[in-house]
mmCIF file of all heavy atoms in Angstrom:
data_model
loop_
_atom_site.group_PDB
_atom_site.id
_atom_site.type_symbol
_atom_site.label_atom_id
_atom_site.label_comp_id
_atom_site.label_asym_id
_atom_site.label_seq_id
_atom_site.Cartn_x
_atom_site.Cartn_y
_atom_site.Cartn_z
ATOM 1 N N TYR A 1 34.164 2.012 12.718
ATOM 2 C CA TYR A 1 33.406 2.337 11.470
ATOM 3 C C TYR A 1 33.409 3.864 11.338
ATOM 4 O O TYR A 1 33.250 4.576 12.293
ATOM 5 C CB TYR A 1 31.920 1.920 11.512
ATOM 6 C CG TYR A 1 31.749 0.539 11.892
ATOM 7 C CD1 TYR A 1 31.745 0.125 13.379
ATOM 8 C CD2 TYR A 1 31.448 -0.429 10.999
ATOM 9 C CE1 TYR A 1 31.537 -1.172 13.674
ATOM 10 C CE2 TYR A 1 31.223 -1.785 11.358
ATOM 11 C CZ TYR A 1 31.275 -2.139 12.689
ATOM 12 O OH TYR A 1 31.031 -3.412 13.133
ATOM 13 N N ASN A 2 33.441 4.357 10.053
ATOM 14 C CA ASN A 2 33.194 5.730 9.687
ATOM 15 C C ASN A 2 31.908 5.727 8.859
ATOM 16 O O ASN A 2 31.946 5.303 7.677
ATOM 17 C CB ASN A 2 34.411 6.335 8.930
ATOM 18 C CG ASN A 2 34.232 7.713 8.456
ATOM 19 O OD1 ASN A 2 33.100 8.256 8.524
ATOM 20 N ND2 ASN A 2 35.313 8.405 8.153
ATOM 21 N N VAL A 3 30.912 6.200 9.429
ATOM 22 C CA VAL A 3 29.609 6.308 8.722
ATOM 23 C C VAL A 3 29.312 7.722 8.518
ATOM 24 O O VAL A 3 28.912 8.402 9.532
ATOM 25 C CB VAL A 3 28.440 5.519 9.477
ATOM 26 C CG1 VAL A 3 27.143 5.672 8.644
ATOM 27 C CG2 VAL A 3 28.875 4.083 9.651
ATOM 28 N N GLU A 4 29.452 8.266 7.332
ATOM 29 C CA GLU A 4 29.172 9.681 7.023
ATOM 30 C C GLU A 4 29.846 10.559 7.946
ATOM 31 O O GLU A 4 29.293 11.571 8.513
ATOM 32 C CB GLU A 4 27.629 9.935 6.928
ATOM 33 C CG GLU A 4 26.982 9.139 5.877
ATOM 34 C CD GLU A 4 25.459 9.362 5.756
ATOM 35 O OE1 GLU A 4 24.955 10.178 6.521
ATOM 36 O OE2 GLU A 4 24.810 8.648 4.939
ATOM 37 N N GLY A 5 31.113 10.360 8.306
ATOM 38 C CA GLY A 5 31.929 11.181 9.175
ATOM 39 C C GLY A 5 31.740 10.983 10.669
ATOM 40 O O GLY A 5 32.395 11.601 11.477
ATOM 41 N N GLN A 6 30.770 10.072 11.017
ATOM 42 C CA GLN A 6 30.593 9.698 12.453
ATOM 43 C C GLN A 6 31.309 8.419 12.705
ATOM 44 O O GLN A 6 31.188 7.437 11.935
ATOM 45 C CB GLN A 6 29.068 9.504 12.764
ATOM 46 C CG GLN A 6 28.306 10.786 12.713
ATOM 47 C CD GLN A 6 28.615 11.712 13.871
ATOM 48 O OE1 GLN A 6 29.149 12.808 13.689
ATOM 49 N NE2 GLN A 6 28.348 11.219 15.111
ATOM 50 N N PHE A 7 32.030 8.304 13.766
ATOM 51 C CA PHE A 7 32.682 7.070 14.175
ATOM 52 C C PHE A 7 32.007 6.250 15.200
ATOM 53 O O PHE A 7 31.403 6.830 16.137
ATOM 54 C CB PHE A 7 34.141 7.491 14.636
ATOM 55 C CG PHE A 7 34.992 7.900 13.482
ATOM 56 C CD1 PHE A 7 34.914 9.142 12.995
ATOM 57 C CD2 PHE A 7 35.989 7.043 12.959
ATOM 58 C CE1 PHE A 7 35.685 9.619 11.989
ATOM 59 C CE2 PHE A 7 36.738 7.471 11.920
ATOM 60 C CZ PHE A 7 36.611 8.737 11.422
ATOM 61 N N TYR A 8 32.015 4.938 14.971
ATOM 62 C CA TYR A 8 31.315 3.986 15.873
ATOM 63 C C TYR A 8 32.341 2.887 16.071
ATOM 64 O O TYR A 8 33.213 2.562 15.280
ATOM 65 C CB TYR A 8 30.062 3.424 15.208
ATOM 66 C CG TYR A 8 29.102 4.516 14.886
ATOM 67 C CD1 TYR A 8 29.113 5.076 13.583
ATOM 68 C CD2 TYR A 8 28.148 4.927 15.767
ATOM 69 C CE1 TYR A 8 28.207 6.109 13.272
ATOM 70 C CE2 TYR A 8 27.219 5.902 15.414
ATOM 71 C CZ TYR A 8 27.270 6.522 14.204
ATOM 72 O OH TYR A 8 26.406 7.459 13.864
ATOM 73 N N VAL A 9 32.119 2.238 17.326
ATOM 74 C CA VAL A 9 32.899 1.015 17.660
ATOM 75 C C VAL A 9 31.977 -0.101 18.142
ATOM 76 O O VAL A 9 31.050 0.170 18.957
ATOM 77 C CB VAL A 9 33.979 1.321 18.716
ATOM 78 C CG1 VAL A 9 34.725 0.102 19.224
ATOM 79 C CG2 VAL A 9 34.995 2.366 18.264
ATOM 80 N N THR A 10 32.188 -1.266 17.665
ATOM 81 C CA THR A 10 31.451 -2.443 18.127
ATOM 82 C C THR A 10 32.399 -3.632 18.322
ATOM 83 O O THR A 10 33.541 -3.549 17.892
ATOM 84 C CB THR A 10 30.409 -2.946 17.070
ATOM 85 O OG1 THR A 10 31.047 -3.559 16.002
ATOM 86 C CG2 THR A 10 29.469 -1.823 16.576
ATOM 87 N N ASP A 11 31.882 -4.710 19.004
ATOM 88 C CA ASP A 11 32.593 -5.921 18.986
ATOM 89 C C ASP A 11 32.844 -6.328 17.589
ATOM 90 O O ASP A 11 32.031 -6.064 16.706
ATOM 91 C CB ASP A 11 31.895 -6.965 19.777
ATOM 92 C CG ASP A 11 31.937 -6.875 21.253
ATOM 93 O OD1 ASP A 11 32.886 -6.189 21.810
ATOM 94 O OD2 ASP A 11 31.122 -7.428 21.949
ATOM 95 N N ASP A 12 34.007 -6.972 17.312
ATOM 96 C CA ASP A 12 34.247 -7.421 15.934
ATOM 97 C C ASP A 12 33.582 -8.654 15.562
ATOM 98 O O ASP A 12 33.282 -8.869 14.420
ATOM 99 C CB ASP A 12 35.801 -7.506 15.720
ATOM 100 C CG ASP A 12 36.162 -7.903 14.359
ATOM 101 O OD1 ASP A 12 35.721 -7.292 13.413
ATOM 102 O OD2 ASP A 12 36.864 -8.991 14.222
ATOM 103 N N ARG A 13 33.348 -9.536 16.549
ATOM 104 C CA ARG A 13 32.729 -10.865 16.247
ATOM 105 C C ARG A 13 31.281 -10.756 16.008
ATOM 106 O O ARG A 13 30.538 -10.201 16.840
ATOM 107 C CB ARG A 13 33.031 -11.803 17.295
ATOM 108 C CG ARG A 13 32.599 -13.202 17.034
ATOM 109 C CD ARG A 13 33.170 -14.208 17.918
ATOM 110 N NE ARG A 13 34.494 -14.438 17.517
ATOM 111 C CZ ARG A 13 35.397 -15.200 18.143
ATOM 112 N NH1 ARG A 13 35.001 -15.712 19.265
ATOM 113 N NH2 ARG A 13 36.571 -15.361 17.679
ATOM 114 N N CYS A 14 30.762 -11.372 14.912
ATOM 115 C CA CYS A 14 29.414 -11.497 14.653
ATOM 116 C C CYS A 14 28.778 -12.345 15.730
ATOM 117 O O CYS A 14 29.300 -13.354 16.139
ATOM 118 C CB CYS A 14 29.171 -12.178 13.208
ATOM 119 S SG CYS A 14 27.451 -12.466 12.878
ATOM 120 N N SER A 15 27.523 -12.024 16.149
ATOM 121 C CA SER A 15 26.814 -12.781 17.201
ATOM 122 C C SER A 15 26.282 -14.077 16.684
ATOM 123 O O SER A 15 25.825 -14.926 17.392
ATOM 124 C CB SER A 15 25.757 -11.877 17.906
ATOM 125 O OG SER A 15 24.775 -11.556 16.869
ATOM 126 N N HIS A 16 26.233 -14.217 15.368
ATOM 127 C CA HIS A 16 25.697 -15.474 14.706
ATOM 128 C C HIS A 16 26.744 -16.512 14.470
ATOM 129 O O HIS A 16 26.447 -17.617 14.544
ATOM 130 C CB HIS A 16 24.928 -15.065 13.422
ATOM 131 C CG HIS A 16 24.463 -16.279 12.686
ATOM 132 N ND1 HIS A 16 25.131 -16.783 11.561
ATOM 133 C CD2 HIS A 16 23.295 -17.024 12.848
ATOM 134 C CE1 HIS A 16 24.440 -17.780 11.151
ATOM 135 N NE2 HIS A 16 23.299 -17.926 11.882
ATOM 136 N N GLY A 17 27.896 -16.131 14.153
ATOM 137 C CA GLY A 17 29.029 -16.983 13.834
ATOM 138 C C GLY A 17 30.357 -16.442 14.271
ATOM 139 O O GLY A 17 30.415 -15.491 15.019
ATOM 140 N N LEU A 18 31.379 -17.001 13.751
ATOM 141 C CA LEU A 18 32.714 -16.648 14.201
ATOM 142 C C LEU A 18 33.390 -15.660 13.264
ATOM 143 O O LEU A 18 34.625 -15.458 13.273
ATOM 144 C CB LEU A 18 33.610 -17.892 14.428
ATOM 145 C CG LEU A 18 33.178 -18.789 15.505
ATOM 146 C CD1 LEU A 18 34.063 -20.036 15.590
ATOM 147 C CD2 LEU A 18 32.934 -18.144 16.868
ATOM 148 N N ALA A 19 32.592 -14.951 12.490
ATOM 149 C CA ALA A 19 33.191 -14.048 11.458
ATOM 150 C C ALA A 19 33.587 -12.751 12.052
ATOM 151 O O ALA A 19 32.981 -12.224 13.016
ATOM 152 C CB ALA A 19 32.122 -13.820 10.379
ATOM 153 N N SER A 20 34.532 -12.142 11.430
ATOM 154 C CA SER A 20 35.026 -10.758 11.743
ATOM 155 C C SER A 20 34.153 -9.740 11.000
ATOM 156 O O SER A 20 34.196 -9.726 9.807
ATOM 157 C CB SER A 20 36.524 -10.568 11.390
ATOM 158 O OG SER A 20 36.918 -9.291 11.412
ATOM 159 N N LEU A 21 33.462 -8.905 11.698
ATOM 160 C CA LEU A 21 32.714 -7.820 11.050
ATOM 161 C C LEU A 21 33.561 -6.839 10.297
ATOM 162 O O LEU A 21 33.117 -6.253 9.420
ATOM 163 C CB LEU A 21 31.837 -7.169 12.108
ATOM 164 C CG LEU A 21 30.675 -8.043 12.642
ATOM 165 C CD1 LEU A 21 29.923 -7.343 13.806
ATOM 166 C CD2 LEU A 21 29.778 -8.609 11.534
ATOM 167 N N ALA A 22 34.796 -6.698 10.805
ATOM 168 C CA ALA A 22 35.731 -5.720 10.103
ATOM 169 C C ALA A 22 35.990 -6.261 8.664
ATOM 170 O O ALA A 22 36.462 -5.449 7.862
ATOM 171 C CB ALA A 22 37.067 -5.646 10.894
ATOM 172 N N GLU A 23 35.757 -7.518 8.343
ATOM 173 C CA GLU A 23 35.905 -8.033 7.051
ATOM 174 C C GLU A 23 34.585 -7.918 6.230
ATOM 175 O O GLU A 23 34.521 -8.359 5.076
ATOM 176 C CB GLU A 23 36.352 -9.490 7.038
ATOM 177 C CG GLU A 23 37.767 -9.639 7.670
ATOM 178 C CD GLU A 23 38.210 -11.106 7.819
ATOM 179 O OE1 GLU A 23 37.490 -11.976 7.348
ATOM 180 O OE2 GLU A 23 39.237 -11.312 8.437
ATOM 181 N N GLY A 24 33.536 -7.363 6.847
ATOM 182 C CA GLY A 24 32.277 -7.156 6.209
ATOM 183 C C GLY A 24 32.239 -5.942 5.392
ATOM 184 O O GLY A 24 33.144 -5.238 5.132
ATOM 185 N N THR A 25 31.035 -5.701 4.926
ATOM 186 C CA THR A 25 30.801 -4.546 3.996
ATOM 187 C C THR A 25 29.751 -3.527 4.723
ATOM 188 O O THR A 25 28.750 -3.900 5.232
ATOM 189 C CB THR A 25 30.113 -5.017 2.674
ATOM 190 O OG1 THR A 25 30.939 -5.992 2.141
ATOM 191 C CG2 THR A 25 29.921 -3.855 1.756
ATOM 192 N N VAL A 26 30.282 -2.284 4.760
ATOM 193 C CA VAL A 26 29.307 -1.229 5.281
ATOM 194 C C VAL A 26 28.327 -0.870 4.187
ATOM 195 O O VAL A 26 28.782 -0.499 3.031
ATOM 196 C CB VAL A 26 30.122 0.074 5.691
ATOM 197 C CG1 VAL A 26 29.165 1.173 6.100
ATOM 198 C CG2 VAL A 26 31.108 -0.289 6.874
ATOM 199 N N ILE A 27 27.114 -0.953 4.544
ATOM 200 C CA ILE A 27 25.986 -0.604 3.535
ATOM 201 C C ILE A 27 25.145 0.423 4.260
ATOM 202 O O ILE A 27 24.352 0.019 5.109
ATOM 203 C CB ILE A 27 25.199 -1.876 3.138
ATOM 204 C CG1 ILE A 27 26.140 -2.857 2.463
ATOM 205 C CG2 ILE A 27 24.096 -1.487 2.203
ATOM 206 C CD1 ILE A 27 25.488 -4.246 2.179
ATOM 207 N N GLY A 28 25.299 1.649 3.871
ATOM 208 C CA GLY A 28 24.565 2.707 4.532
ATOM 209 C C GLY A 28 24.955 2.743 5.981
ATOM 210 O O GLY A 28 26.175 3.012 6.348
ATOM 211 N N ASP A 29 24.003 2.544 7.005
ATOM 212 C CA ASP A 29 24.317 2.656 8.391
ATOM 213 C C ASP A 29 24.324 1.212 9.042
ATOM 214 O O ASP A 29 24.179 1.072 10.179
ATOM 215 C CB ASP A 29 23.319 3.533 9.135
ATOM 216 C CG ASP A 29 21.923 2.913 9.053
ATOM 217 O OD1 ASP A 29 21.630 1.984 8.330
ATOM 218 O OD2 ASP A 29 21.029 3.461 9.740
ATOM 219 N N GLU A 30 24.551 0.196 8.178
ATOM 220 C CA GLU A 30 24.641 -1.192 8.598
ATOM 221 C C GLU A 30 25.903 -1.846 8.129
ATOM 222 O O GLU A 30 26.586 -1.433 7.214
ATOM 223 C CB GLU A 30 23.457 -2.010 8.030
ATOM 224 C CG GLU A 30 22.112 -1.452 8.480
ATOM 225 C CD GLU A 30 20.927 -2.106 7.877
ATOM 226 O OE1 GLU A 30 20.860 -2.236 6.547
ATOM 227 O OE2 GLU A 30 20.146 -2.703 8.591
ATOM 228 N N ILE A 31 26.276 -2.913 8.870
ATOM 229 C CA ILE A 31 27.467 -3.752 8.508
ATOM 230 C C ILE A 31 26.882 -5.124 8.103
ATOM 231 O O ILE A 31 26.076 -5.615 8.827
ATOM 232 C CB ILE A 31 28.508 -3.842 9.637
ATOM 233 C CG1 ILE A 31 29.713 -4.738 9.168
ATOM 234 C CG2 ILE A 31 27.880 -4.418 10.936
ATOM 235 C CD1 ILE A 31 30.580 -4.048 8.178
ATOM 236 N N GLU A 32 27.346 -5.596 6.972
ATOM 237 C CA GLU A 32 26.918 -6.888 6.551
ATOM 238 C C GLU A 32 28.037 -7.976 6.910
ATOM 239 O O GLU A 32 29.174 -7.684 6.536
ATOM 240 C CB GLU A 32 26.665 -6.914 4.974
ATOM 241 C CG GLU A 32 26.276 -8.267 4.429
ATOM 242 C CD GLU A 32 26.101 -8.306 2.962
ATOM 243 O OE1 GLU A 32 27.173 -8.041 2.263
ATOM 244 O OE2 GLU A 32 25.040 -8.520 2.489
ATOM 245 N N CYS A 33 27.657 -9.003 7.569
ATOM 246 C CA CYS A 33 28.690 -10.027 8.022
ATOM 247 C C CYS A 33 29.150 -10.719 6.782
ATOM 248 O O CYS A 33 28.333 -11.099 5.873
ATOM 249 C CB CYS A 33 28.008 -10.980 8.959
ATOM 250 S SG CYS A 33 29.059 -12.379 9.449
ATOM 251 N N PRO A 34 30.468 -10.993 6.645
ATOM 252 C CA PRO A 34 31.061 -11.644 5.478
ATOM 253 C C PRO A 34 30.688 -13.169 5.448
ATOM 254 O O PRO A 34 30.788 -13.744 4.333
ATOM 255 C CB PRO A 34 32.436 -11.427 5.628
ATOM 256 C CG PRO A 34 32.742 -11.297 7.073
ATOM 257 C CD PRO A 34 31.513 -10.667 7.598
ATOM 258 N N MET A 35 30.288 -13.713 6.560
ATOM 259 C CA MET A 35 30.091 -15.184 6.557
ATOM 260 C C MET A 35 28.674 -15.702 6.010
ATOM 261 O O MET A 35 28.527 -16.397 5.134
ATOM 262 C CB MET A 35 30.280 -15.774 7.945
ATOM 263 C CG MET A 35 30.276 -17.278 7.932
ATOM 264 S SD MET A 35 30.588 -18.049 9.609
ATOM 265 C CE MET A 35 32.298 -17.839 9.697
ATOM 266 N N HIS A 36 27.608 -15.122 6.682
ATOM 267 C CA HIS A 36 26.268 -15.470 6.350
ATOM 268 C C HIS A 36 25.451 -14.327 5.834
ATOM 269 O O HIS A 36 24.246 -14.450 5.650
ATOM 270 C CB HIS A 36 25.562 -16.198 7.562
ATOM 271 C CG HIS A 36 26.299 -17.459 7.974
ATOM 272 N ND1 HIS A 36 26.877 -17.594 9.204
ATOM 273 C CD2 HIS A 36 26.489 -18.595 7.318
ATOM 274 C CE1 HIS A 36 27.418 -18.763 9.287
ATOM 275 N NE2 HIS A 36 27.233 -19.429 8.192
ATOM 276 N N PHE A 37 26.049 -13.178 5.726
ATOM 277 C CA PHE A 37 25.413 -11.993 5.131
ATOM 278 C C PHE A 37 24.313 -11.427 6.004
ATOM 279 O O PHE A 37 23.445 -10.661 5.454
ATOM 280 C CB PHE A 37 25.042 -12.221 3.682
ATOM 281 C CG PHE A 37 26.078 -12.778 2.831
ATOM 282 C CD1 PHE A 37 26.103 -14.175 2.478
ATOM 283 C CD2 PHE A 37 27.128 -11.983 2.530
ATOM 284 C CE1 PHE A 37 27.154 -14.658 1.777
ATOM 285 C CE2 PHE A 37 28.280 -12.591 1.827
ATOM 286 C CZ PHE A 37 28.184 -13.830 1.381
ATOM 287 N N GLY A 38 24.348 -11.673 7.289
ATOM 288 C CA GLY A 38 23.357 -11.017 8.203
ATOM 289 C C GLY A 38 23.802 -9.550 8.328
ATOM 290 O O GLY A 38 24.846 -9.193 8.045
ATOM 291 N N MET A 39 22.886 -8.807 8.919
ATOM 292 C CA MET A 39 23.108 -7.372 9.085
ATOM 293 C C MET A 39 22.950 -6.887 10.515
ATOM 294 O O MET A 39 22.114 -7.367 11.230
ATOM 295 C CB MET A 39 22.168 -6.594 8.136
ATOM 296 C CG MET A 39 22.169 -7.030 6.658
ATOM 297 S SD MET A 39 23.564 -6.352 5.759
ATOM 298 C CE MET A 39 23.121 -4.595 5.639
ATOM 299 N N PHE A 40 23.676 -5.847 10.798
ATOM 300 C CA PHE A 40 23.525 -5.154 12.093
ATOM 301 C C PHE A 40 23.620 -3.647 11.909
ATOM 302 O O PHE A 40 24.286 -3.091 11.031
ATOM 303 C CB PHE A 40 24.743 -5.461 13.010
ATOM 304 C CG PHE A 40 24.922 -6.938 13.379
ATOM 305 C CD1 PHE A 40 25.730 -7.720 12.630
ATOM 306 C CD2 PHE A 40 24.215 -7.444 14.466
ATOM 307 C CE1 PHE A 40 25.824 -9.040 12.961
ATOM 308 C CE2 PHE A 40 24.340 -8.742 14.792
ATOM 309 C CZ PHE A 40 25.138 -9.542 14.055
ATOM 310 N N LYS A 41 22.776 -2.894 12.664
ATOM 311 C CA LYS A 41 22.773 -1.481 12.717
ATOM 312 C C LYS A 41 24.131 -1.079 13.404
ATOM 313 O O LYS A 41 24.265 -1.465 14.554
ATOM 314 C CB LYS A 41 21.594 -0.876 13.479
ATOM 315 C CG LYS A 41 20.287 -1.090 12.855
ATOM 316 C CD LYS A 41 20.135 -0.146 11.663
ATOM 317 C CE LYS A 41 18.723 -0.271 11.047
ATOM 318 N NZ LYS A 41 18.548 0.584 9.911
#
């Protein structure tokens, strides 16, 4: 992730389902899972 010029790395798999977080949407400092729309910091 690139959040305001800071880079971060997480596991790609959502802990709730089998979705790829890289297919999700960055909203501020959070990632929204594309499957069930849960959020992670």
Side-chain angles (χ1 to χ4, degrees):
Y1 310 83
N2 179 343
V3 179
E4 297 180 5
Q6 291 289 116
F7 286 79
Y8 300 93
V9 175
T10 71
D11 282 339
D12 180 54
R13 181 166 287 174
C14 176
S15 62
H16 175 261
L18 299 179
S20 167
L21 294 175
E23 295 176 8
T25 303
V26 174
I27 302 171
D29 64 350
E30 299 177 302
I31 182 70
E32 180 181 61
C33 176
M35 185 179 285
H36 298 115
F37 309 107
M39 304 285 287
F40 297 93
K41 294 283 188 184

